[in-house]
Amino acid sequence: MVTVTSVSPFGGRAVAMLLTGTMLAGLAVPAEAQRGQRGGGGGRPRGEGRPSAGPAQAIPAATPQGPGVVVTDPNALTIKTLRVEGSQRIEPETVLSYTRLRVGIKYTAETLDQALKDLQASDLFADYSISGVADGNIVLRIRENPIINRVILEGNKALKSDKITKEIKLAPRQIFTRTAVRQDIGRIIELYRRQGRFAAVVDPKMVNLDQNRVDVVFEISEGPKSKVRQINIIGNEVFSDDKIRGQMATKQARFFRLLSSATTYDQDRLSYDQQKLRQFYLTEGYADFRVTSAVAELTPDKKDFIITYVVEEGKRYKFGDVTVDSQIRDFDNNKLAASLPLKKGDWYNAKLVEDSVDNLSQTAGLFGYAFTEVNPEFQKDADTLTMGINFNIAEAKRTYVERVEINGNTQTQDKVVRREIRLAEGDAFNSFQVKRSQDRINSLGYFQDKMEIKQNPGSAPDRVILETNLEEKSTGELQLSAGYSSLERFIIQANITQRNFRGKGQELRAGVNYSSYSKSIELGFTEPYLFDKNIALGGDLFRRDYNSFNYVGNDRQTNYSQVSTGFQLRAGVPLTEYWSLSGRYGLSYDEVSLDSQYLNADGSCNLEVAGRYLCEAIGNRWTSSVGYSISRDTLNSRLRPTAGSRFSFSQDFAGLGGDVKYIRTRLEGSKYKNLGSGFIGSIVAEGGYIHSLESARADGGDRVRITDRFYLGEPQFRGFDIRGVGPRVLRAAYITAADGTQSVQTDRDQIQDDALGGRAYYLARAEIEIPLGSGARELGLRPSIYAQVGSLFGVTKPAPTFTYQQAVNAAGVAQFNADGSPTYLPNQYKDSAGNLLFTVPTGAVGEGTTTTCPVGTIDATTKACVGTVANAKFINPNIYQEQFLGNSAKPRLSVGIGVNWNSPFGPLRIDLAKAFLTQKGDDPKLITFNVGTQF
């Protein structure tokens, strides 16, 4: 039913009702004919209320037309003339073709009633009537349905207009019909029901325009989502209601499920839950379980559903005899049965039966039988409550690969895909190799995820066609982004990468990165198959500007910077299917300098401000290194693995020329496993050691330079700040009170904290990725919980920057502070050559200047001290306590939860991690986040 309204926004004038019925203008005819001659406009009577948005009454389909009507009534009249009035777009002949009226035929009231019904069934006319009934000069007066000018949706927020308009049939420039309106109302309501909005109401309106045009307006009241308020279970005795509800995909609406889509009612999900319940009971041994009824009731306010399941649990069964009957002569039935995961006497578990069928099929596939049928035959004994199973393996022929088809690759060359497939035409079929090929293709990252290789029958029973249907995705990335992270503060990135350059699988990349922590520009290229041989070759050019820093209070200070410019060449070859060997050579020039605040006026290092350990780091040096890596990789995907493992051992030797000499060794390993129900478990571990090949460094310094050591902390060790783990020097100032007593600064924020790095480290992480509902997955949310353990250690304790003399009283007795610590005297300043400095007293020549002469001043010619005036010592009032901490192999432990989010403004990772085991000097950090950088 459609209401005709004048709505001011459209400028239309007020109208009465859509499709108002009209009376036939006729003479005296029988009462039945008078009733039949009433117009078929279909408008509702005045005073009738607005109809609901539910399905309207169906209109009968058009009646098939014949050439005429045979009338035997003796009172029938004959049609003398027949014409149509009011037609505009539709030809009069077309109008008449919808009726059975023809000139010269007999007619009665029933004949005219049928003609009106036929016009109504055509759905082309807004009004119609018949006149001239008395004398046979019949006139069909019609008013055609209007043309749709616009279709307007109002009130829709949960569903965007474009999603609705592509589902409805009404559209501009089409003929308006009531039937189409009713159908579109039903379609819109169905769209909202799919979203769980069962209270949605659609009120159609029409705005009349000139030239017999209309605007159709659908006023939509969406209503709230209909949630599942309660799930009732009737008939369960073995398992509790909560246990059974936990097996269902549908969940009861509760406050802690605000982000879950599982609380919305879905008819399809109701059927799925019944299957889930049956699967659950079958895995627990209840082979006779069934759901006798499942009823979903909508509450009167249409806001919630109450679902009730009635179940029959039945008796619990155990496995009886488990046998294998193979028609393939290569197989030993007894050995196959012994290898199956189900055993006689165990509780019956349908999942183990499915796994056994898969295991037997895979075993047959390993021997080259591609289309083996494995049929479990059940022997249920209700008396003994046992379920015997015989796995019947049908006879099959050994299968060979007839052809490998590559479909769907429009940019990627065939050879890029074929070289990842472990089977070629003519090879014996092997299901393991098919799975391995599938994993290798998915690991390329050129195609949509979860690509599967189909096994189709070939031209003969012993032939199989491997069909690889690919769907390419974008492999070029242009990233222009700005972001902020707790590690690097403000970040600006410009990176371009093509991982499938020219469709040959080559990788080309270029990038510029800028932040307050680091700056870099890099170019790289990798050819994975050199000259179509299984040899990878690549190279990189780079310039990296890295700033190390420490904190004093909330002020982050740069202490030294390292600018590295160089290149690296690398090559790799596979040794076996899983083992590979790679080598590399790198040459770089490092410029290490301190920030100006750590330098004296002459450019030399200020020991007091920088510390001896930083002064030792400055200088320029060449590093020429050669290295190799040997690795084993069985991961099912290199991008987002869910199963498999990876192990790598690598060494780099610096000293093939250049100024730096060391051996750096690293071990890395990872293991991933699908834990079921969407949970992914992983264990990742790594460790390393660097051994210097240089002679011992002076002044107690470590032989490995500070820029070549390992560092540990954020982001790889969550729960600790950047470089927050391992050896460090804390420089705390002594505070001298008015009475001369001293105390050491204890506020960590006011202590200079310099991380020194380590020569050895280890780090391990156990992590479980938690699945979320479909809504959260669409947002790109991937939460996980984890625990990490690690340590960094192995450097030589640095020599102290200063030593201080303990104060004594007039009697020569050593002085102590109130806390029992020694009272120290401040040191005398020295020049860059280590000479003590003095101050020329007031009144003497050069008063207030500093000199190295205890008495007099330096003669400009002889460079000797001349004069008799005693100079005062140039005293440094600052006294520092240096503590060397954190150089321990004892483990640090942190536990936390993190979330990866592919946000609209770039990838984001947030971690909340608590450090439970620390060593003195470590710098824990509870919350870390990164935005705009890869993680």
Side-chain angles (χ1 to χ4, degrees):
M1 198 74 74
V2 180
T3 304
V4 181
T5 308
S6 174
V7 185
S8 58
F10 303 111
R13 55 190 177 84
V15 294
M17 293 183 180
L18 172 66
L19 308 177
T20 305
T22 59
M23 298 296 295
L24 289 173
L27 300 177
V29 291
E32 290 81 0
Q34 288 288 346
R35 287 194 298 271
Q37 290 167 349
R38 188 173 303 275
R44 68 176 186 270
R46 293 185 181 180
E48 183 181 349
R50 176 172 293 179
S52 69
Q57 183 178 357
I59 298 176
T63 305
Q65 306 301 314
V69 181
V70 178
V71 180
T72 59
D73 190 337
N75 297 322
L77 301 177
T78 301
I79 298 178
K80 299 175 182 179
T81 62
L82 184 61
R83 60 190 179 89
V84 177
E85 292 182 358
S87 61
Q88 296 178 354
R89 300 183 309 272
I90 305 174
E91 294 294 331
E93 293 79 4
T94 303
V95 176
L96 292 175
S97 69
Y98 285 98
T99 71
R100 301 184 183 184
L101 301 181
R102 302 291 185 269
V103 175
I105 69 170
K106 300 288 185 178
Y107 68 92
T108 64
E110 289 77 8
T111 306
L112 300 180
D113 280 343
Q114 184 61 46
L116 291 175
K117 292 178 181 178
D118 293 340
L119 292 176
Q120 180 187 24
S122 69
D123 245 346
L124 296 175
F125 310 108
D127 193 12
Y128 37 87
S129 64
I130 298 177
S131 63
V133 176
D135 58 4
N137 296 313
I138 302 299
V139 178
L140 296 180
R141 290 190 175 93
I142 63 169
R143 180 161 58 87
E144 297 173 351
N145 276 336
I147 294 295
I148 298 174
N149 179 56
R150 290 185 299 171
V151 178
I152 302 169
L153 302 173
E154 295 181 352
N156 57 306
K157 296 179 181 178
L159 276 178
K160 293 184 178 179
S161 295
D162 57 348
K163 290 187 176 181
I164 297 177
T165 53
K166 68 182 181 181
E167 294 291 335
I168 62 178
K169 301 301 182 183
L170 290 180
R173 295 183 296 279
Q174 289 185 354
I175 297 175
F176 173 87
T177 66
R178 291 170 298 146
T179 302
V181 172
R182 288 196 296 267
Q183 292 173 347
D184 282 350
I185 290 172
R187 292 187 184 97
I188 295 173
I189 289 177
E190 180 59 28
L191 287 176
Y192 277 101
R193 286 184 174 178
R194 291 177 191 171
Q195 278 206 339
R197 298 179 186 273
F198 285 79
V201 176
V202 181
D203 189 9
K205 293 184 177 180
M206 186 180 76
V207 180
N208 278 347
L209 305 174
D210 56 2
Q211 299 178 354
N212 199 22
R213 296 177 302 130
V214 293
D215 283 342
V216 179
V217 182
F218 291 106
E219 291 186 352
I220 302 173
S221 175
E222 296 180 321
K225 276 193 173 184
S226 300
K227 301 290 185 179
V228 177
R229 178 191 299 176
Q230 184 70 30
I231 300 177
N232 299 318
I233 314 295
I234 299 175
N236 56 309
E237 297 178 358
V238 179
F239 298 104
S240 66
D241 289 3
D242 289 338
K243 180 70 173 179
I244 295 175
R245 292 190 194 107
Q247 308 304 317
M248 299 179 182
T250 303
K251 303 298 180 183
Q252 297 178 130
R254 299 294 184 265
F255 73 92
F256 53 85
R257 295 194 179 109
L258 292 176
L259 296 177
S260 175
S261 61
T263 59
T264 302
Y265 174 74
D266 188 326
Q267 177 65 36
D268 295 334
R269 195 185 292 147
L270 190 67
S271 301
Y272 176 68
D273 283 338
Q274 295 180 58
Q275 298 177 12
K276 291 273 289 182
L277 287 182
R278 177 160 175 77
Q279 290 174 0
F280 167 68
Y281 270 92
L282 288 177
T283 58
E284 296 293 334
Y286 295 89
D288 295 329
F289 172 83
R290 66 191 186 99
V291 178
T292 58
S293 70
V295 179
E297 297 176 286
L298 185 62
T299 57
D301 59 6
K302 296 185 178 181
K303 291 183 178 180
D304 298 303
F305 274 89
I306 297 175
I307 303 175
T308 303
Y309 292 94
V310 179
V311 302
E312 290 182 5
E313 294 178 321
K315 300 295 184 178
R316 195 178 190 188
Y317 286 75
K318 291 186 176 182
F319 281 116
D321 293 327
V322 178
T323 59
V324 175
D325 183 12
S326 174
Q327 305 302 317
I328 301 176
R329 288 176 295 177
D330 294 343
F331 294 163
D332 186 316
N333 293 338
N334 294 330
K335 289 184 178 180
L336 285 177
S339 67
L340 297 179
L342 43 86
K343 305 298 179 184
K344 183 178 180 179
D346 293 344
W347 290 112
Y348 174 75
N349 187 328
K351 181 64 169 57
L352 292 180
V353 177
E354 293 179 6
D355 293 343
S356 298
V357 172
D358 291 339
N359 290 344
L360 292 173
S361 297
Q362 291 177 7
T363 301
L366 291 176
F367 285 86
Y369 299 96
F371 305 109
T372 305
E373 293 184 9
V374 180
N375 299 311
E377 299 172 350
F378 299 89
Q379 296 93 35
K380 184 169 65 173
D381 190 332
D383 295 330
T384 60
L385 295 180
T386 59
M387 183 76 73
I389 301 178
N390 176 54
F391 293 94
N392 187 4
I393 304 177
E395 184 177 1
K397 292 185 177 181
R398 194 180 298 276
T399 313
Y400 298 88
V401 178
E402 178 178 336
R403 190 168 65 253
V404 177
E405 295 182 351
I406 310 294
N407 304 319
N409 53 317
T410 57
Q411 297 180 354
T412 306
Q413 297 182 8
D414 274 9
K415 67 178 182 180
V416 174
V417 181
R418 288 187 181 276
R419 65 196 184 196
E420 304 299 330
I421 297 178
R422 305 291 94 181
L423 292 169
E425 285 84 352
D427 288 350
F429 175 83
N430 187 304
S431 58
F432 177 79
Q433 297 288 20
V434 172
K435 180 63 169 60
R436 177 62 179 166
S437 303
Q438 188 173 294
D439 291 344
R440 289 180 65 94
I441 295 174
N442 283 325
S443 294
L444 292 175
Y446 307 157
F447 312 105
Q448 297 297 336
D449 295 339
K450 298 184 178 179
M451 183 280 306
E452 294 185 359
I453 299 177
K454 294 183 178 179
Q455 304 162 26
N456 299 325
S459 59
D462 62 344
R463 295 290 183 265
V464 62
I465 297 174
L466 300 181
E467 182 181 2
T468 305
N469 293 316
L470 307 171
E471 184 180 351
E472 290 185 315
K473 64 181 181 182
S474 175
T475 56
E477 299 174 1
L478 175 61
Q479 182 182 13
L480 301 173
S481 63
Y484 181 88
S485 78
S486 57
L487 170 64
E488 301 187 68
R489 301 293 173 89
F490 288 100
I491 308 160
I492 298 175
Q493 290 185 324
N495 296 294
I496 183 170
T497 303
Q498 175 52 261
R499 293 180 288 107
N500 189 13
F501 184 56
R502 299 188 300 166
K504 294 184 175 182
Q506 301 166 338
E507 181 175 310
L508 181 65
R509 61 187 180 279
V512 177
N513 298 278
Y514 178 87
S515 72
S516 57
Y517 179 68
S518 63
K519 308 169 186 67
S520 68
I521 179 171
E522 299 191 30
L523 299 173
F525 177 78
T526 302
E527 167 56 71
Y529 276 75
L530 184 65
F531 306 125
D532 290 331
K533 304 294 183 182
N534 204 351
I535 301 173
L537 182 67
D540 299 284
L541 292 172
F542 60 85
R543 179 180 175 86
R544 306 184 184 114
D545 186 349
Y546 164 79
N547 292 321
S548 178
F549 57 85
N550 59 32
Y551 282 96
V552 178
N554 293 322
D555 182 23
R556 187 173 80 164
Q557 302 180 110
T558 299
N559 46 26
Y560 74 86
S561 65
Q562 178 182 357
V563 179
S564 299
T565 306
F567 69 90
Q568 185 182 75
L569 298 175
R570 57 188 184 279
V573 294
L575 301 178
T576 66
E577 176 63 25
Y578 300 108
W579 288 92
S580 62
L581 175 67
S582 62
R584 56 192 167 272
Y585 171 77
L587 179 66
S588 63
Y589 183 66
D590 297 323
E591 303 170 78
V592 182
S593 60
L594 296 181
D595 193 71
S596 59
Q597 64 181 322
Y598 296 99
L599 301 178
N600 295 312
D602 61 359
S604 60
C605 182
N606 187 329
L607 279 176
E608 178 189 357
V609 179
R612 188 181 304 277
Y613 39 86
L614 290 182
C615 289
E616 293 173 353
I618 62 175
N620 301 334
R621 59 188 69 97
W622 286 94
T623 301
S624 175
S625 65
V626 61
Y628 73 93
S629 297
I630 183 169
S631 60
R632 183 180 188 272
D633 189 343
T634 64
L635 297 177
N636 64 345
S637 172
R638 297 187 186 97
L639 305 177
R640 287 190 59 189
T642 59
S645 61
R646 188 179 188 280
F647 167 81
S648 175
F649 174 82
S650 62
Q651 284 188 310
D652 290 278
F653 303 88
L656 195 67
D659 306 309
V660 181
K661 297 177 176 61
Y662 61 74
I663 300 176
R664 178 185 284 119
T665 304
R666 292 189 65 185
L667 281 169
E668 296 176 290
S670 59
K671 174 71 175 179
Y672 294 84
K673 185 175 182 180
N674 191 332
L675 304 179
S677 301
F679 291 89
I680 305 298
S682 63
I683 297 177
V684 180
E686 59 180 287
Y689 181 78
I690 182 170
H691 174 70
S692 176
L693 300 177
E694 301 179 34
S695 58
R697 302 174 68 83
D699 301 325
D702 197 276
R703 291 190 298 173
V704 178
R705 291 176 172 81
I706 194 171
T707 55
D708 296 326
R709 299 171 192 165
F710 298 112
Y711 291 89
L712 203 57
E714 183 193 345
Q716 69 269 41
F717 201 165
R718 304 157 193 168
F720 294 90
D721 205 348
I722 172 69
R723 299 189 170 193
V725 176
R728 60 207 327 102
V729 171
L730 301 182
R731 303 184 72 220
Y734 277 90
I735 303 172
T736 304
D739 61 358
T741 60
Q742 299 171 339
S743 61
V744 179
Q745 175 67 260
T746 58
D747 185 357
R748 180 68 181 263
D749 289 342
Q750 300 301 319
I751 299 176
Q752 182 175 321
D753 182 349
D754 289 316
L756 302 185
R759 288 201 285 179
Y761 84 100
Y762 63 86
L763 179 65
R765 180 180 76 249
E767 187 167 9
I768 297 178
E769 186 174 314
I770 304 171
L772 295 178
S774 58
R777 286 197 302 270
E778 291 175 0
L779 291 175
L781 293 174
R782 292 187 291 114
S784 62
I785 56 175
Y786 54 84
Q788 288 188 278
V789 62
S791 186
L792 178 72
F793 54 95
V795 297
T796 302
K797 180 179 180 180
T801 302
F802 296 107
T803 56
Y804 298 95
Q805 181 180 356
Q806 188 173 358
V808 296
N809 59 14
V813 178
Q815 300 295 295
F816 294 89
N817 298 311
D819 61 359
S821 62
T823 301
Y824 291 112
L825 296 175
N827 284 336
Q828 188 174 353
Y829 277 119
K830 297 180 181 179
D831 63 9
S832 58
N835 300 312
L836 294 174
L837 293 177
F838 299 86
T839 302
V840 178
T842 302
V845 177
E847 61 178 315
T849 61
T850 57
T851 178
T852 56
C853 296
V855 177
T857 58
I858 296 178
D859 183 84
T861 303
T862 63
K863 305 299 182 183
C865 295
V866 296
T868 58
V869 178
N871 297 321
K873 293 181 179 181
F874 187 19
I875 299 299
N876 180 356
N878 298 317
I879 302 176
Y880 295 100
Q881 179 193 71
E882 288 184 344
Q883 288 183 287
F884 177 62
L885 303 172
N887 190 30
S888 171
K890 293 182 179 179
R892 283 78 161 172
L893 172 67
S894 68
V895 177
I897 182 171
V899 178
N900 286 329
W901 179 31
N902 292 328
S903 68
F905 44 87
L908 164 70
R909 175 156 184 117
I910 300 177
D911 283 286
L912 178 65
K914 172 68 175 177
F916 287 98
L917 289 181
T918 62
Q919 298 299 317
K920 190 174 182 180
D922 290 345
D923 193 2
K925 188 174 184 180
L926 183 64
I927 300 175
T928 59
F929 67 91
N930 283 279
V931 180
T933 56
Q934 296 295 326
F935 49 80

